[in-house]
Amino acid sequence: MAENSKTLEKQDGFKSQWGFIMAAVGSCVGMANVWRFPMLVSRYGGLTFLIPYFIFAFIISQSGMMEEFSLGRWSGFGPVGSFGKAMENGGRSKKIGELIGSVPVFASLCLGTGYAVIMGWVFYYAKMALTGELVAMGQDMNVIGSTFGAVAPEAATLPEAIKMTFATGGANNFWIIVAIAVSFLIMILGVSGGIEASCKVMIPALYVLFIILAAVMIFIPGTGDGYRYIFTLDPKGLLNPEVWVFAFGQCFFSLSVAGSGSVIYGSYLGKDVKIRQSAALCAVFDTSAALLAMLIIIPAMATVGADLGNGGPGLLFIYILPVFNSMGGISRIIGIFFYVAVLFAGISSIINLFETPVAMLQEKLHMKRLTATAVIHIFGLVVSLIIQPWTSQWMDMVSIYLCPLGAFTAGFMFFWVMKKDTAIEAVQLGSEKPIMKWFYSFGKYVFVPLCLLCFVLGIGFGGIS
């Protein structure tokens, strides 16, 4: 595979297209696939939600994902360097472009920091699954609820959260430290030796575990109603704008188009990698992970006639537990498989989120890989320990205001600022077949406005992801 010399001046790159795809899929597959996607399918009626979702998966993967991968590979840098070079190519100020590029870098750092808190929860629950503590809770909702409440206390405001953290010494400090340490150890090994190597193990393992769990659910009594619901279609439901809004929001954030992680991973690509093929495969794998989670959670909840509620942490750490624990002798195995799979999904996501600011420190401040990684993880650790009781609001703030702006600015740079010939050549590189003729105009007049719409709808609905 050809090497991107500009990238390798600051560090190594992906050694294979498969390794890149696994890493990119890892950046996409995360908590939203597990705790939100099944809830939205349940809320909006099986295929009634899935059809709009599939449509948006095609639209975003064949425009936004291709654009971000191509922008990163063309420039050889993350958002700051990419946006600066794009502005320069379009005859505008490079410095202003770099300043704008700091927005998605900041968003990625903030998202990674909040994700560290969530990963602390996942590590703790994976540990309890392995030791049998989860099964020991049985179906006692008081014990199950109070256990998660102790791990994830909530505060109404950030000052209250900070006060609560310092007063109590933190709720789940040890496992947050473990999550940050695992991310750090993977990332100091570099792109090929750390990120690529780990994702080539974790992502296939995640799918194997999810496939096994989905297959087991077929033989659990009472799951039939869940399957029937998944495959129902209400044509009138397709006329509900809210269904399309939330399908769009879920897909937009699940595919990680935020002008950050996809751009930096793209910068580690060789010239022979097929961008369109890679984007399509990433969308297929990400969507299949969400579908597998759906095929586990909805049938499982159907066995007790339970509602998936509003999704989120409550589904993953509270409401699914009594269902798993009611499945007899295989309860412990199901719990272990489930939380280990979720653990792999989370680790692969957090290393992508932290990679963008790490690369920025390498690019702009010329830090060594070890130093840059240490700085970002120390910052992430300190902030994540402080904001624990305010994690939900923190993540909402980033996803509503910062991530859509990152996607919009990246798309604007590629489709509106860069020269058209340059943009098309960047996407075409590595592919023998000509890129689809509609790609550029579709990205310019459909995808970029959709990013802006995501920002507006997020504010209007109080979040659509």
Side-chain angles (χ1 to χ4, degrees):
M1 175 174 166
E3 293 180 339
N4 184 329
S5 59
K6 290 184 179 180
T7 297
L8 296 184
E9 285 176 7
K10 60 183 185 291
Q11 69 178 48
D12 61 330
F14 292 114
K15 299 302 182 185
S16 67
Q17 183 172 358
W18 177 248
F20 160 68
I21 290 171
M22 288 296 97
V25 170
S27 72
C28 296
V29 177
M31 299 303 105
N33 296 71
V34 181
W35 73 31
R36 187 165 174 83
F37 184 86
M39 178 274 292
L40 290 172
V41 173
S42 175
R43 175 184 293 177
Y44 293 112
L47 289 174
T48 311
F49 177 82
L50 291 175
I51 290 173
Y53 186 90
F54 294 151
I55 292 172
F56 285 121
F58 174 82
I59 290 172
I60 295 170
S61 69
Q62 296 301 284
S63 56
M65 291 187 78
M66 290 175 62
E67 160 254 306
E68 293 193 3
F69 291 155
S70 301
L71 178 62
R73 181 172 65 176
W74 168 77
S75 69
F77 298 108
V80 172
S82 292
F83 287 19
K85 190 173 178 181
M87 289 284 279
E88 193 174 41
N89 177 262
R92 295 172 175 83
S93 171
K94 179 180 179 180
K95 289 185 178 180
I96 292 178
E98 290 180 340
L99 183 63
I100 296 172
S102 65
V103 173
V105 174
F106 180 66
S108 189
L109 176 59
C110 290
L111 204 59
T113 300
Y115 223 87
V117 179
I118 297 169
M119 285 310 301
W121 303 340
V122 177
F123 268 98
Y124 181 59
Y125 273 71
K127 184 271 296 187
M128 289 197 293
L130 290 166
T131 60
E133 294 170 80
L134 291 185
V135 172
M137 294 183 194
Q139 295 173 278
D140 189 331
M141 290 303 294
N142 290 326
V143 173
I144 292 171
S146 62
T147 298
F148 184 63
V151 173
E154 294 184 6
T157 65
L158 182 56
E160 182 185 335
I162 295 172
K163 182 179 179 180
M164 184 186 296
T165 298
F166 281 102
T168 62
N172 196 35
N173 288 358
F174 175 76
W175 293 103
I176 293 175
I177 293 170
V178 169
I180 290 284
V182 170
S183 173
F184 175 75
L185 292 173
I186 291 173
M187 292 184 67
I188 60 173
L189 297 176
V191 177
S192 62
I195 295 174
E196 180 176 2
S198 63
C199 288
K200 286 169 74 172
V201 174
M202 289 190 295
I203 301 306
L206 180 157
Y207 279 95
V208 169
L209 292 172
F210 268 4
I211 289 170
I212 292 173
L213 287 172
V216 167
M217 289 301 155
I218 296 174
F219 301 98
I220 301 294
T223 57
D225 288 342
Y227 294 118
R228 280 188 287 273
Y229 184 79
I230 288 170
F231 294 105
T232 57
L233 172 63
D234 176 14
K236 292 182 180 179
L238 293 173
L239 301 178
N240 181 2
E242 191 174 297
V243 174
W244 292 83
V245 167
F246 283 95
F248 168 59
Q250 176 69 19
C251 189
F252 186 91
F253 287 95
S254 184
L255 293 181
S256 294
V257 281
S260 53
S262 297
V263 175
I264 192 61
Y265 275 9
S267 75
Y268 303 143
L269 283 177
K271 295 180 180 180
D272 59 338
V273 171
K274 298 175 178 63
I275 292 292
R276 186 185 186 190
Q277 181 188 71
S278 298
L281 287 172
C282 285
V284 168
F285 279 119
D286 176 68
T287 302
S288 63
L291 292 173
L292 285 170
M294 172 194 73
L295 289 170
I296 296 166
I297 292 175
I298 291 181
M301 298 295 278
T303 63
V304 294
D307 183 12
L308 275 68
N310 293 318
L315 174 61
L316 190 59
F317 300 109
I318 299 176
Y319 301 111
I320 196 67
L321 272 180
V323 177
F324 285 167
N325 289 345
S326 68
M327 294 181 178
I330 62 171
S331 293
R332 186 170 178 179
I333 296 297
I334 288 177
I336 291 171
F337 279 23
F338 183 75
Y339 286 103
V340 170
V342 173
L343 187 66
F344 289 157
I347 293 172
S348 59
S349 293
I350 198 171
I351 59 179
N352 173 264
L353 292 169
F354 280 145
E355 180 62 23
T356 304
V358 166
M360 189 273 291
L361 293 181
Q362 292 182 268
E363 292 170 8
K364 304 307 294 183
L365 301 182
H366 307 291
M367 288 186 180
K368 298 291 186 181
R369 175 79 181 182
L370 177 60
T371 305
T373 307
V375 167
I376 294 303
H377 281 76
I378 290 171
F379 174 86
L381 176 60
V382 172
V383 175
S384 63
L385 291 176
I386 292 174
I387 67 165
Q388 288 184 66
W390 204 65
T391 302
S392 177
Q393 297 94 321
W394 177 277
M395 297 295 273
D396 284 346
M397 176 185 68
V398 178
S399 63
I400 292 172
Y401 297 101
L402 295 179
C403 290
L405 285 180
F408 172 76
T409 51
F412 188 81
M413 290 293 168
F414 190 85
F415 291 111
W416 287 89
V417 175
M418 284 172 58
K419 295 176 181 177
K420 180 178 179 179
D421 289 345
T422 304
I424 292 176
E425 287 174 7
V427 180
Q428 184 65 57
L429 185 66
S431 179
E432 301 83 11
K433 296 181 179 179
I435 205 69
M436 52 277 205
K437 293 181 180 180
W438 48 267
F439 167 76
Y440 187 81
S441 57
F442 186 86
K444 187 173 186 176
Y445 298 112
V446 177
F447 175 72
V448 175
L450 278 176
C451 294
L452 194 57
L453 182 63
C454 184
F455 177 73
V456 174
L457 290 174
I459 296 173
F461 280 85
I464 59 172
S465 67

